[in-house]
Amino acid sequence: MTDRDSALHAWLEKEQPRLGFDLDSMAPASSDAGFRRYFRVTCPGGGTLIVMDAPPATENLPAFLRIDRLMADAGLNVPVIHAADEEQGFAIISDLGRETFLNVINEENAARLMDAATTALVKWQLASRPGVLPPYDRAVLLREMNLFPEWYVGRHLGVTWDAKREEWWKMTTDAIIEVNLADPTVFVHRDFMPRNLMMSDPLPGVIDFQDALMGPITYDIASLLRDAFVSWSESFVLDITIRYWEKARKAGLPVPEDFGSFWRSVEFMGLQRHLKVLGIFARINYRDGKPKYLADTPRFMAYARQTAGRYRELSPLRHLLDELEGVQEKAGYTF
């Protein structure tokens, strides 16, 4: 047993008499791309609770607790906090279920689940207030995109760009950020995707929100429909985006009156996220020793190539991706 395990066990022993869970029943509940760990414990009568271990050196439990309260106040179904030790990074929270949207979503139920997701998203965005969450500003947007050349291109593919290609990359990031920053700002979950939406009552249970910021209104809908782990047809993506846009307009959220303008912004926001995630998945592999996420990188490269081919100002990125495609093919990847 590690020192961390011992500290967690000692803390749970203090909380057990009040909450009544069976400490001996503790078992892993899920894996995480970060350094958080989750365990499930049973309670009298068959109920369950989730134990969260969020090491303070790498995870931000205070942010999780604060945003949990914001989302609950907005009417979202988020975990109830039963106990927390912010200094040590431990928490006991309600269990929103064992199945995510990703586990069950299919062609038959996708429209219903996405409708529930976008309804929750509108509630979250309507709760937005300035000065509450840190800004998703130019520096953050650029820092995230630069994970792509650092970790995916340089570390994963072993490619070093010359000055000309570095200029193409700068033209790309400038073009994307210009569109991103033109969007109105709202509360942004930042990972609003089927993997973080639970089959719970009411739908959806929302988790993994500790990195929330105040940022572009297009971000979360792009996350939902351009997911790391599942791909949808273009017609389905358009249909759900239109339905969300209609809900947002009816609710008074600051979306454009013209859907074409909104769709363009969603595509540019999605592209920013795709490039970031490609870098993150490579970093998780090489820095953190978690290789499974690399299997999903071809999906994100396909998203990026598709969007880059649609807009003239993204032609520098298309050139870069065309060149990388040859490297990918040699490495055994396909688009």
Side-chain angles (χ1 to χ4, degrees):
M1 183 178 288
T2 66
D3 290 344
R4 184 76 185 165
D5 291 333
S6 297
L8 176 59
H9 193 85
W11 181 73
L12 290 172
E13 285 183 330
K14 294 179 183 178
E15 299 295 335
Q16 191 275 336
R18 180 172 65 87
L19 296 175
F21 54 84
D22 178 7
L23 186 52
D24 292 333
S25 70
M26 190 166 77
S30 68
S31 60
D32 193 274
F35 295 93
R36 292 179 299 276
R37 296 187 299 168
Y38 299 92
F39 304 93
R40 183 173 277 110
V41 292
T42 59
C43 301
T48 56
L49 294 170
I50 296 296
V51 176
M52 178 192 297
D53 173 18
T58 55
E59 304 297 331
N60 192 343
L61 180 59
F64 176 91
L65 301 176
R66 184 162 58 94
I67 295 160
D68 183 273
R69 288 191 292 270
L70 283 176
M71 288 194 162
D73 290 345
L76 274 65
N77 181 15
V78 292
V80 175
I81 311 299
H82 293 289
D85 185 324
E86 295 186 22
E87 185 176 346
Q88 293 194 87
F90 302 140
I92 301 170
I93 62 179
S94 62
D95 189 350
L96 295 185
R98 296 174 181 266
E99 290 186 315
T100 69
F101 276 24
L102 182 64
N103 296 142
V104 303
I105 201 164
N106 55 43
E107 290 185 3
E108 286 71 39
N109 64 23
R112 177 176 65 89
L113 295 183
M114 289 296 186
D115 180 64
T118 54
T119 295
L121 178 56
V122 168
K123 288 182 180 179
W124 172 232
Q125 293 174 334
L126 282 172
S128 304
R129 306 190 306 275
V132 175
L133 294 177
Y136 212 156
D137 56 18
R138 173 180 290 274
V140 178
L141 291 164
L142 181 59
R143 182 170 68 245
E144 289 181 341
M145 279 193 287
N146 279 334
L147 295 172
F148 176 72
E150 178 183 359
W151 287 96
Y152 191 81
V153 177
R155 184 68 182 272
H156 182 56
L157 297 182
V159 172
T160 301
W161 284 337
D162 59 17
K164 179 180 180 181
R165 284 154 185 82
E166 289 286 357
E167 180 61 25
W168 288 351
W169 177 246
K170 183 179 185 305
M171 292 167 66
T172 295
T173 56
D174 285 348
I176 293 172
I177 291 174
E178 180 181 358
V179 176
N180 296 163
L181 292 181
D183 286 340
T185 57
V186 293
F187 286 168
V188 174
H189 176 293
R190 217 168 160 201
D191 229 356
F192 195 77
M193 58 183 185
R195 190 171 181 263
N196 291 327
L197 302 175
M198 306 300 297
M199 296 297 295
S200 189
D201 185 17
L203 287 174
V206 182
I207 61 172
D208 204 19
F209 42 71
Q210 61 282 337
D211 295 325
L213 295 174
M214 187 77 172
I217 195 170
T218 51
Y219 192 93
D220 281 342
I221 189 65
S223 300
L224 180 66
L225 294 167
R226 292 300 195 191
D227 182 38
F229 307 101
V230 60
S231 295
W232 300 106
S233 69
E234 196 74 6
S235 61
F236 180 80
V237 172
L238 273 167
D239 179 63
I240 299 301
T241 305
I242 290 170
R243 291 174 186 271
Y244 158 75
W245 171 73
E246 290 173 340
K247 288 181 186 179
R249 289 186 69 203
K250 186 175 180 180
L253 286 168
V255 294
E257 291 188 7
D258 174 57
F259 177 75
S261 174
F262 181 69
W263 176 247
R264 178 176 181 271
S265 293
V266 171
E267 291 228 277
F268 274 70
M269 193 73 256
L271 183 56
Q272 188 275 344
R273 178 175 166 81
H274 303 155
L275 294 168
K276 172 186 76 170
V277 171
L278 282 162
I280 288 174
F281 282 2
R283 184 176 67 182
I284 289 172
N285 176 65
Y286 295 104
R287 188 192 69 182
D288 304 335
K290 298 180 179 181
K292 67 177 182 177
Y293 296 95
L294 278 179
D296 289 291
T297 56
R299 177 179 290 114
F300 274 82
M301 286 295 287
Y303 289 159
R305 287 177 58 78
Q306 185 179 54
T307 304
R310 285 178 175 156
Y311 300 96
R312 181 177 55 81
E313 57 266 56
L314 296 177
S315 58
L317 177 62
R318 184 58 191 249
H319 290 317
L320 289 170
L321 297 180
D322 283 345
E323 291 185 348
L324 292 175
E325 182 179 16
V327 177
Q328 288 277 18
E329 289 174 346
K330 291 176 184 176
Y333 289 92
T334 58
F335 294 104

